[in-house]
Amino acid sequence: MFQRISLFVLLSMANGLLSAQVPTAYPARMWGDSAHAPFLHGVASGDPTDSSIVLWTRATPAPGQTGGLAIDWELALDTAFAQLVRSGSASADAVVDWTVKFEVTGLQPDTRYFYRFRTPLNDYSAIGRTKTFPADNSSPLKVAVGSCSSVYSGFFNAYRRISERGDLDLMVHLGDYVYDFVDENEEIRVPIPYPVEPVSLAEWRERHKYYLYDPDLREMRRMQPMTAIWDNHDVLSDTIANAVQAFWEYLPIRKPDVADQLRIYRTLRLGTMADLFLLDVDLYRRRDTLAPGETSILGNIQYDWLTDGLSQSTSNWRIIGSQCMFSLWSVLGLPPLFPAGQTVFDPSAWDGFQLDRARLLNHLQANNIQNCMVISGDAHISMAADLAITPLDSMTYDSASGYGSLGVEFLPSSITRGNLDESGISPNNANALGQLSLNVNPHHHYMEVVQHGYGLLTIIPDSIVAEYWYSPVLQVSNSQVLGRRMVVRNGENRWAREYLPTGISESVAPGSLQPVVYPNPVVNGECWVRMPERARGDFSLRLVDQAGRLIFQQHHQAVNASGTPVFLRLPAGLPAGSYVLHFSNAQGKGSASVLVK
């Protein structure tokens, strides 16, 4: 650390820098959007409803500019802006660091829009794409989930993959959107001078601006509406007020309480399909005592807000966004890698506030609140868990059947920030530790501890399909792989126990009537279907979308050999997304999930 500080001081003196936040040498894949100057930091949209959207941009001021800068904006149904829907003007000034953020109302539900900004000199921003939610539950919803995106720890390939999805309704960021420090074990993309932890408002603003020099983050914000909550690396510093102000200025989200700068917990209504309750378990923790030695992670005011909202919700699904892991992660029986007496993996997560977790789960049980899913971040691993009040007690929770589960948790991996293998544990040992952890935590049904990426939820009235997508972080890459696909069904409040295959390499139980599609995801509309072992006689194939609408149907003559593949060409122009292929013959029926890219 002493050498880094000395290097910083020498470079600062040599270059006459006035701020430690202004880099003189950028690492790989960092640049501003100079083609659309002065909108160097891109455009964004967020916090959609079925009739409104928040739009955002920043106009870099000219040297010496002190007064406000008028910015015109347009919202249209097409990229040529021939079908103009709304237009107006906003003002950027130094008070909000030349950012522009406002809400456009009176929009149509379930509609794709395009938007752009313009200066008085006719300099145009990049064209952004956004979307309103449906007003009902007639259309499937696609929601991406991510967290822990250190720009210093790797490349934002996951953001680029999210930006490329044409079927997405929302990107949910669950905190650690920006990082206050560089992890010395993860110095992949570090500028010179070496970054110092921001304290002043100017330094926090510079950190957000620096992040937006990453083209993949800019592209995700340009192409997908997003929502976000902060976590400890975003705001927990000696000067929280400065960090919070910069967060409000640079994220395309609305304040739920204009008078309270520190309140970010709020509800987004995703039509009548789902209510999304976004929590703050950072700035409200330990405000209230529940019992001697037991404090709350939510605080009583936020707890009342959450439980009232859950009780009053009439949507198909209730999704709770938490910055950190909700379910119990016991380390009893694991190798002695933890401090003496520590029985849980992370006492700073909900495991350190077990009374608060229990009273929330008891509320779900006492009020018969169904179809709850917690989506969470912070842990830098992938995990899926049933939510039970006492999951290690076989009398109250049964891992095989899911008896005693009151909901599920979905925790995708970090966008870039290091997980177990980057903490000094070899990948083989990390995977072995993950398997041991599954053995001692019967409510955990999936764990992956070395890969990075994001999660994807497909939400329909009768189920939520959850997918874990992984991308490299150590180099720029166009690849991603589907790690696992899981499902929770209406009224079951637990992860389904059957296995959802992701491709030809997946095993299918002997005697199953489940076909296997490969390659899966399907690219260029062409794939093969390997028939089930019991595929004797004539059979039919039906492809339906997540709403159950028939896409196509084919009838085939008798297959004489088990496992015989059939070539399929999907209909031209089929939108990217998740589908279900149904197989039926005289012996019965089966189905397989199909992802179309």
Side-chain angles (χ1 to χ4, degrees):
M1 179 61 73
F2 175 79
Q3 290 178 335
R4 290 179 187 143
I5 294 175
S6 298
L7 178 62
F8 167 72
V9 172
L10 289 173
L11 288 171
S12 298
M13 293 174 62
N15 292 283
L17 295 175
L18 298 178
S19 170
Q21 299 299 307
V22 181
T24 58
Y26 289 93
R29 201 164 177 79
M30 294 293 290
W31 60 76
D33 186 10
S34 57
H36 296 97
F39 303 103
L40 298 175
H41 300 94
V43 300
S45 68
D47 274 14
T49 70
D50 60 7
S51 62
S52 67
I53 193 75
V54 174
L55 300 183
W56 179 96
T57 192
R58 182 180 188 272
T60 301
Q65 183 165 354
T66 57
L69 177 63
I71 303 293
D72 294 330
W73 60 270
E74 295 175 317
L75 186 80
L77 294 173
D78 64 315
T79 56
F81 289 82
Q83 302 177 65
L84 196 63
V85 175
R86 294 280 190 280
S87 64
S89 295
S91 180
D93 56 41
V95 175
V96 289
D97 201 28
W98 306 95
T99 59
V100 172
K101 184 168 70 172
F102 55 91
E103 184 174 12
V104 183
T105 61
L107 304 180
Q108 294 299 309
D110 199 17
T111 301
R112 183 76 69 186
Y113 292 100
F114 301 90
Y115 62 96
R116 65 184 179 184
F117 300 88
R118 182 181 69 243
T119 70
L121 298 178
N122 284 328
D123 298 311
Y124 283 90
S125 72
I127 295 174
R129 185 185 71 180
T130 192
K131 186 177 183 294
T132 53
F133 287 131
D136 52 27
N137 63 3
S138 60
S139 299
L141 292 178
K142 283 290 186 69
V143 177
V145 183
S147 68
C148 303
S149 44
S150 172
V151 74
Y152 313 115
S153 296
F155 292 91
F156 284 163
N157 296 311
Y159 279 149
R160 178 62 65 163
R161 302 290 82 77
I162 292 171
S163 76
E164 293 167 349
R165 289 193 173 270
D167 58 349
L168 208 60
D169 292 277
L170 184 68
M171 160 62 185
V172 179
H173 201 292
L174 293 171
D176 291 342
Y177 164 81
V178 297
Y179 269 76
D180 52 348
F181 80 110
V182 181
D183 190 303
E184 62 183 12
N185 297 316
E186 303 169 21
E187 296 178 340
I188 307 302
R189 288 197 299 163
V190 182
I192 300 175
Y194 196 89
V196 296
E197 294 186 21
V199 176
S200 69
L201 177 57
E203 289 170 335
W204 275 107
R205 286 168 168 172
E206 289 297 332
R207 186 58 49 92
H208 280 270
K209 282 185 283 189
Y210 178 74
Y211 260 69
L212 290 175
Y213 275 179
D214 185 288
D216 301 314
L217 172 57
R218 281 203 313 273
E219 188 69 356
M220 185 277 288
R221 289 169 48 118
R222 182 179 78 89
M223 295 297 289
Q224 310 293 2
M226 68 177 297
T227 190
I229 49 179
W230 51 54
D231 200 6
N232 57 313
H233 294 294
D234 297 296
V235 299
L236 289 186
S237 68
D238 293 335
T239 53
I240 290 179
N242 292 334
V244 165
Q245 181 172 335
F247 196 92
W248 285 127
E249 290 172 349
Y250 277 85
L251 273 295
I253 57 177
R254 62 173 66 83
K255 290 182 181 179
D257 186 343
V258 176
D260 185 357
Q261 282 280 102
L262 299 184
R263 178 183 168 179
I264 200 170
Y265 66 85
R266 64 200 189 279
T267 305
L268 278 183
R269 186 168 175 80
L270 284 60
T272 59
M273 186 79 76
D275 287 331
L276 173 59
F277 301 91
L278 294 166
L279 305 183
D280 184 355
V281 299
D282 276 327
L283 301 189
Y284 287 81
R285 61 175 57 203
R286 305 193 191 284
R287 288 193 177 191
D288 295 298
T289 299
L290 305 181
E294 292 277 357
T295 57
S296 172
I297 194 172
L298 291 175
N300 288 332
I301 294 176
Q302 186 178 189
Y303 175 83
D304 290 342
W305 162 83
L306 174 60
T307 51
D308 287 347
L310 291 171
S311 296
Q312 296 170 14
S313 172
T314 58
S315 295
N316 295 89
W317 298 92
R318 280 145 286 284
I319 302 174
I320 302 170
S322 171
Q323 290 105 322
C324 60
M325 182 184 289
F326 181 84
S327 60
L328 170 68
W329 189 357
S330 173
V331 299
L332 295 174
L334 295 184
L337 303 174
F338 308 92
Q342 182 173 320
T343 61
V344 295
F345 188 88
D346 184 7
S348 69
W350 284 79
D351 270 338
F353 303 85
Q354 296 187 30
L355 192 58
D356 221 8
R357 178 174 60 204
R359 70 167 175 167
L360 180 55
L361 291 175
N362 277 312
H363 178 83
L364 300 184
Q365 185 178 58
N367 293 276
N368 193 30
I369 298 174
Q370 305 288 308
N371 295 346
C372 289
M373 170 184 281
V374 175
I375 57 175
S376 51
D378 183 67
H380 306 175
I381 64 160
S382 302
M383 189 271 296
D386 286 346
L387 300 180
I389 298 174
T390 52
L392 304 185
D393 182 355
S394 60
M395 298 298 293
T396 59
Y397 170 73
D398 179 64
S399 176
S401 66
Y403 168 81
S405 182
L406 301 168
V408 298
E409 181 170 16
F410 175 60
L411 194 162
S413 184
S414 61
I415 298 290
T416 57
R417 187 68 203 285
N419 40 36
L420 292 192
D421 61 322
E422 285 139 332
S423 300
I425 305 174
S426 72
N428 286 340
N429 288 339
N431 286 323
L433 183 62
Q435 185 58 53
L436 285 174
S437 179
L438 285 173
N439 294 338
V440 301
N441 289 276
H443 55 303
H444 290 180
H445 297 281
Y446 174 64
M447 181 172 288
E448 208 293 326
V449 297
V450 300
Q451 299 198 71
H452 303 273
Y454 66 97
L456 185 69
L457 300 176
T458 301
I459 311 171
I460 59 175
D462 68 1
S463 61
I464 297 181
V465 176
E467 298 172 347
Y468 298 84
W469 286 92
Y470 300 120
S471 298
V473 297
L474 299 183
Q475 64 277 328
V476 177
S477 172
N478 292 323
S479 70
Q480 67 173 350
V481 294
L482 175 60
R484 181 61 64 93
R485 181 184 292 124
M486 303 183 70
V487 63
V488 56
R489 295 192 176 89
N490 176 48
E492 292 189 351
N493 301 316
R494 59 171 176 82
W495 289 111
R497 271 33 181 186
E498 68 265 29
Y499 189 64
L500 299 184
T502 58
I504 185 65
S505 62
E506 307 291 350
S507 61
V508 178
S512 169
L513 283 175
Q514 178 176 292
V516 175
V517 179
Y518 62 102
N520 195 2
V522 178
V523 181
N524 297 325
E526 297 179 349
C527 64
W528 291 87
V529 181
R530 187 178 68 193
M531 293 299 103
E533 288 186 348
R534 294 160 56 196
R536 299 292 190 271
D538 297 352
F539 67 93
S540 295
L541 294 175
R542 297 172 58 251
L543 187 72
V544 301
D545 63 16
Q546 291 290 331
R549 291 183 289 255
L550 180 67
I551 304 301
F552 77 87
Q553 181 171 342
Q554 293 182 354
H555 185 75
H556 294 262
Q557 298 298 315
V559 174
N560 296 318
S562 64
T564 301
V566 173
F567 178 75
L568 290 185
R569 187 183 300 277
L570 303 184
L574 186 64
S578 294
Y579 298 83
V580 178
L581 182 70
H582 294 284
F583 166 88
S584 62
N585 70 354
Q587 287 80 44
K589 300 178 180 179
S591 62
S593 297
V594 179
L595 184 72
V596 175
K597 293 185 65 176

